[in-house]
Amino acid sequence: MTNTAEANGIPWRKAREWIEQAGRPWNDVLSSSSIAYPDYYLKPFHAYDLGNLCWEAAFEQEIASRAVGSRNYPQYKEKGEDAFRDAFDTALSSLGASVPSQGVIVDFGCGTGASTRRLASKWTDAKKIIGIDLSPYFVGVGRKLLELKPNSFLEGGSWVTTIYSDSRIDLQVGDIANNSQLPDEFADVINLQFVFHELPLSAMKAVVDEAYRMLKPGGQMWVCEMDFDSPAYAKQRDNALMFSLLRATEPYLDEYADGMVEIRQAIAQRFGIVKIKAATGRHYALVATKIGRKSDYPASEVILDDQRFRADGAYEFKDTHLQLWETTGNQGEILLKKRTIELAIKIVE
């Protein structure tokens, strides 16, 4: 991914070197926490043996996110992530996503805070934007970025985006599937961007329950995720070899894909009103509204408005994402082919 990112104009190595040097000594920014990590969180993720519980993963999260964005919207190259996130903003807005003046937004699974900062930038009338993540390493890097306020490489700076300080943003270490330690009916919006597919189904349902507990009546839960009902992902999953490339760094991807219908039903029965819409050719946006204090709605009372497919059965958007074998850099193509061969050998063995 490093070589493909740099082929798209994203300075992976330089940005990684800058953040690692700029924040030293890093152990001084680690949050003291008594949280007991659940077993599912201790598995390797995203090709890091220690998963999200290491500095390397935290240093590279936002850089990798820029790289993934450039693959989703290759025509935008280094600005692909901006177009990618804009697509979700558009979809959420069309579903009625809103934040009241002086409202409180809680960003579940915030990582280093890229999504949290974007929420703060978009919803300028919000009173508070709280990001919660289970990794003290991610939260530590996120806090340091807010302190350093770097400029993007596109503006002559050293980081992959320009970051502004914002006193409304508060990044915290917490367990969104167990006890985030925030009060009942505290938030107007709970945001989850690419969180569900990294959880086992039981933890997904626990996160939904925690979001419901924290939301005020009339509050909304926003979900942005991969859509395995989309033709693009369905086709990819049908190809065992190609899908193994994706699954290799996502231990719960099959459980997420198989459980999509079940988790949507769980959300609908908990909240009562759910709207879902395609955001890209392989992703969806969802808005669930907490009607009152009632929960566990019977199926006959649930409103589930699914707008992902057109009347003719076609998915709303065409897929613009580069295929797994496609790349904009020769070196990246060589590495990808090598990885494909290695996985093929393992499957045969």
Side-chain angles (χ1 to χ4, degrees), residues 88 92 105-110 115 119 132 176-177 189-197 199 203-204 206-208 210-212 215 220-226 267 271 284-286 288:
F88 287 100
L92 287 169
I105 305 171
V106 179
D107 190 18
F108 273 11
C110 67
S115 55
L119 289 165
I132 302 177
I176 61 171
V189 169
I190 303 289
N191 181 65
L192 293 110
Q193 290 199 352
F194 305 108
V195 174
F196 280 163
H197 76 269
L199 302 173
M204 292 182 225
V207 168
V208 171
E210 180 68 356
Y212 185 88
L215 281 171
Q220 297 177 332
M221 181 177 72
W222 304 344
V223 178
C224 299
E225 260 298 353
M226 307 164 77
I267 293 170
F271 281 79
Y284 71 83
L286 178 151

Side-chain angles (χ1 to χ4, degrees), residues 7-318:
N8 280 318
I10 299 165
W12 185 301
R13 293 177 179 87
K14 288 183 179 179
R16 160 64 195 270
E17 181 180 359
W18 173 81
I19 185 60
E20 186 172 358
Q21 295 294 328
R24 288 186 171 178
W26 278 103
N27 286 336
D28 289 353
V29 305
L30 271 181
S31 301
S32 59
S33 174
S34 59
I35 293 176
Y37 298 110
D39 289 342
Y40 71 79
Y41 200 72
L42 301 176
K43 291 182 178 292
F45 277 92
H46 304 150
Y48 302 106
D49 290 341
L50 296 176
N52 295 332
L53 295 173
C54 65
W55 287 120
E56 184 180 11
F59 293 153
E60 294 184 340
Q61 188 195 38
E62 294 193 24
I63 309 171
S65 184
R66 299 301 290 184
V68 170
S70 70
R71 291 190 64 82
N72 276 283
Y73 285 92
Q75 68 270 36
Y76 292 96
K77 294 181 72 66
E78 70 273 8
K79 294 184 179 180
E81 187 191 17
D82 299 324
F84 184 54
R85 292 185 182 271
D86 284 346
F88 287 100
D89 287 346
T90 299
L92 287 169
S93 294
S94 72
L95 294 174
S98 63
V99 181
S101 179
Q102 296 300 296
V104 174
I105 305 171
V106 179
D107 190 18
F108 273 11
C110 67
T112 57
S115 55
T116 319
R117 298 192 306 267
R118 186 177 178 91
L119 289 165
S121 177
K122 180 175 177 61
W123 301 101
T124 55
D125 287 341
K127 179 181 180 181
K128 193 80 173 174
I129 304 93
I130 299 172
I132 302 177
D133 200 273
L134 194 51
S135 170
Y137 299 89
F138 281 53
V139 170
V141 170
R143 289 173 176 171
K144 180 60 69 173
L145 284 169
L146 287 168
E147 177 187 321
L148 293 170
K149 297 177 290 187
N151 286 329
S152 163
F153 67 94
L154 296 173
E155 299 174 356
S158 302
W159 192 233
V160 289
T161 56
T162 295
I163 295 176
Y164 304 96
S165 62
D166 190 326
S167 60
R168 299 174 302 150
I169 296 175
D170 179 17
L171 302 182
Q172 303 179 6
V173 178
D175 186 354
I176 61 171
N178 183 20
N179 181 7
S180 62
Q181 300 186 23
L182 293 175
D184 293 354
E185 299 186 0
F186 171 76
D188 296 279
V189 169
I190 303 289
N191 181 65
L192 293 110
Q193 290 199 352
F194 305 108
V195 174
F196 280 163
H197 76 269
E198 297 190 352
L199 302 173
L201 187 59
S202 59
M204 292 182 225
K205 292 180 178 180
V207 168
V208 171
D209 290 342
E210 180 68 356
Y212 185 88
R213 178 190 71 79
M214 285 178 51
L215 281 171
K216 301 173 184 176
Q220 297 177 332
M221 181 177 72
W222 304 344
V223 178
C224 299
E225 260 298 353
M226 307 164 77
D227 190 351
F228 281 92
D229 291 336
S230 69
Y233 269 136
K235 182 179 180 181
Q236 189 177 96
R237 199 176 184 216
D238 286 341
N239 186 319
L241 178 58
M242 288 296 103
F243 193 67
S244 67
L245 292 170
L246 191 60
R247 186 197 294 117
T249 62
E250 300 281 1
Y252 301 106
L253 200 57
D254 276 317
E255 191 167 350
Y256 167 74
D258 290 335
M260 274 189 56
V261 172
E262 187 173 345
I263 193 62
R264 283 201 304 271
Q265 291 174 340
I267 293 170
Q269 290 173 358
R270 173 64 77 184
F271 281 79
I273 299 179
V274 175
K275 296 181 179 180
I276 182 171
K277 182 180 178 68
T280 79
R282 53 176 65 190
H283 301 90
Y284 71 83
L286 178 151
V287 174
T289 303
K290 182 175 179 178
I291 301 173
R293 291 186 172 87
K294 179 180 177 180
S295 61
D296 298 322
Y297 287 83
S300 60
E301 295 183 20
V302 166
I303 299 174
L304 179 55
D305 181 8
D306 191 342
Q307 305 171 26
R308 292 173 299 159
F309 294 86
R310 298 174 183 168
D312 62 1
Y315 202 69
E316 184 174 2
F317 294 112
K318 292 183 178 180

